[in-house]
Amino acid sequence: MPSESGKVVCVTGAGGAKERLTLCRADLLDYQSLKEAIYGCDGVFHTASPVTDDPEQMVEPAVIGTKNVITAAAEAKVQRVVFTSSIGTVYMDPNRAPDKVVDETCWSDLDFCKNTKNWYCYGKMVAEKTAWDEAREKGVDLVVINPVLVLGPLLQPTVNASVLHILKYLTGSAKTYANSTQAYVHVRDVALAHILLYETPPASGRYICAESVLHRGEVVEILAKFFPECSDETRPRAKPYKFTNQKLKDLDLEFTPVKQCLYETVKSLQEKGHLPTPTQNDEPIQIQS
């Protein structure tokens, strides 16, 4: 790339980057740029996607970009493509029984996502189905990972949408929370899962990448131990949905406990200047699973 922007400095400054990292400028909607970036590679990790609930900015770019990546990977004859999908393609089904375990065979209800204007989940779902269709047609070895909400230390100096989910409770911008549940996973576990899926030849199909499902009230309780401004709940809690992450555990991935994940997220926000840093007199917090 001709110049380093704030978005890539955190990557180019990492250990070993000068010797082992090459950056290419590519556009998901520009097939030629993807072809040039992928040519000569042994594998492809397709992690890029719009993150928006604007249907025009979400659906078409996600689908066309995915099709372009799979096509370019097929032409380059890469060994495997690991596609980053989302739990949003798995569990968004209003007809799912409360006790049904969410596993890799589950798919979200496309009409439900469309009718509720959840264009992010809708777009990710159409994009994943496009990836599977294109891979079958072009003979590409495709494996899909379906992460939940990703937390943990930030590489970049800015706050992303996932971490904002936590930051709002700590700054007081969120005065209350929805009576709902959310699944969480540590960013390092997601990165390791991608590598495992690429480097493990028998890996196939979809892989749910999640450590725990918590009610938002439980999240607030955990955060309150780190940051006392969090408040207690007053309503009965919705029950978390059940899921299985056994496929990744079978590949020997040991998930980081969600409490550790939340703690490291808070510490990173403090280090990046998004939250006040504790005084030296503050006692260290003990993490217990």
Side-chain angles (χ1 to χ4, degrees):
M1 297 180 69
S3 64
E4 290 186 358
S5 67
K7 294 183 178 180
V8 299
V9 167
C10 57
V11 178
T12 56
K18 290 184 179 180
E19 298 79 21
R20 296 185 290 151
L21 178 66
T22 300
L23 296 181
C24 302
R25 188 180 297 278
D27 185 334
L28 287 177
L29 303 183
D30 181 352
Y31 176 76
Q32 188 61 32
S33 70
L34 290 173
K35 180 180 174 181
E36 292 173 0
I38 292 174
Y39 183 79
C41 294
D42 293 324
V44 172
F45 296 85
H46 179 29
T47 64
S49 173
V51 182
T52 175
D53 267 328
D54 183 328
E56 293 185 2
Q57 296 181 22
M58 179 66 213
V59 181
E60 187 173 352
V63 173
I64 294 177
T66 297
K67 184 177 294 187
N68 285 342
V69 169
I70 299 296
T71 302
E75 189 168 338
K77 295 181 171 56
V78 304
Q79 295 176 1
R80 171 168 286 179
V81 175
V82 179
F83 176 77
T84 310
S85 186
S86 166
I87 194 66
T89 72
V90 178
Y91 82 110
M92 298 291 290
D93 182 359
N95 297 315
R96 186 186 72 248
D99 292 332
K100 178 178 172 57
V101 175
V102 175
D103 62 18
E104 286 80 5
T105 65
C106 298
W107 283 90
S108 295
D109 186 313
L110 199 60
D111 289 334
F112 175 73
C113 294
K114 184 176 182 179
N115 293 336
T116 56
K117 301 188 185 303
N118 190 331
W119 297 112
Y120 174 75
C121 289
Y122 181 91
K124 292 293 288 186
M125 189 171 176
V126 177
E128 185 185 335
K129 286 184 174 291
T130 298
W132 285 117
D133 291 342
E134 291 295 312
R136 280 190 290 267
E137 179 182 332
K138 295 179 171 59
V140 172
D141 181 8
L142 175 70
V143 181
V144 171
I145 182 171
N146 301 84
V148 294
L149 190 73
V150 181
L151 297 177
L154 297 166
L155 281 179
Q156 75 283 358
T158 56
V159 175
N160 56 26
S162 297
V163 174
L164 185 61
H165 169 80
I166 299 301
L167 183 62
K168 64 184 181 182
Y169 296 123
L170 301 170
T171 60
S173 60
K175 304 302 181 183
T176 185
Y177 49 82
N179 186 21
S180 59
T181 63
Q182 178 73 56
Y184 301 93
V185 68
H186 198 292
V187 64
R188 285 195 289 266
D189 295 341
V190 177
L192 179 57
H194 278 79
I195 296 171
L196 282 171
L197 295 183
Y198 175 69
E199 294 184 343
T200 307
S204 64
R206 310 167 85 201
Y207 288 79
I208 291 175
C209 191
E211 198 280 326
S212 292
V213 180
L214 298 178
H215 187 276
R216 293 179 194 267
E218 291 179 273
V219 174
V220 170
E221 287 177 354
I222 295 171
L223 292 174
K225 297 177 182 179
F226 310 146
F227 219 75
E229 280 76 3
C230 295
S231 59
D232 293 331
E233 65 176 321
T234 58
R235 297 170 295 168
R237 293 178 178 177
K239 292 183 179 180
Y241 64 85
K242 299 178 181 179
F243 73 95
T244 176
N245 54 13
Q246 191 60 47
K247 285 189 72 177
L248 279 174
K249 285 184 176 180
D250 289 343
L251 298 182
D252 295 327
L253 178 62
E254 296 183 7
F255 284 96
T256 304
V258 68
K259 289 184 180 180
Q260 182 72 30
C261 180
L262 289 168
Y263 175 75
E264 291 185 20
T265 302
V266 174
K267 294 296 292 183
S268 179
L269 287 168
Q270 292 172 337
E271 292 166 1
K272 300 289 184 180
H274 301 296
L275 287 171
T277 303
T279 64
Q280 293 182 352
N281 293 329
D282 288 343
E283 296 183 0
I285 297 171
Q286 300 297 319
I287 306 295
Q288 296 180 348
S289 59

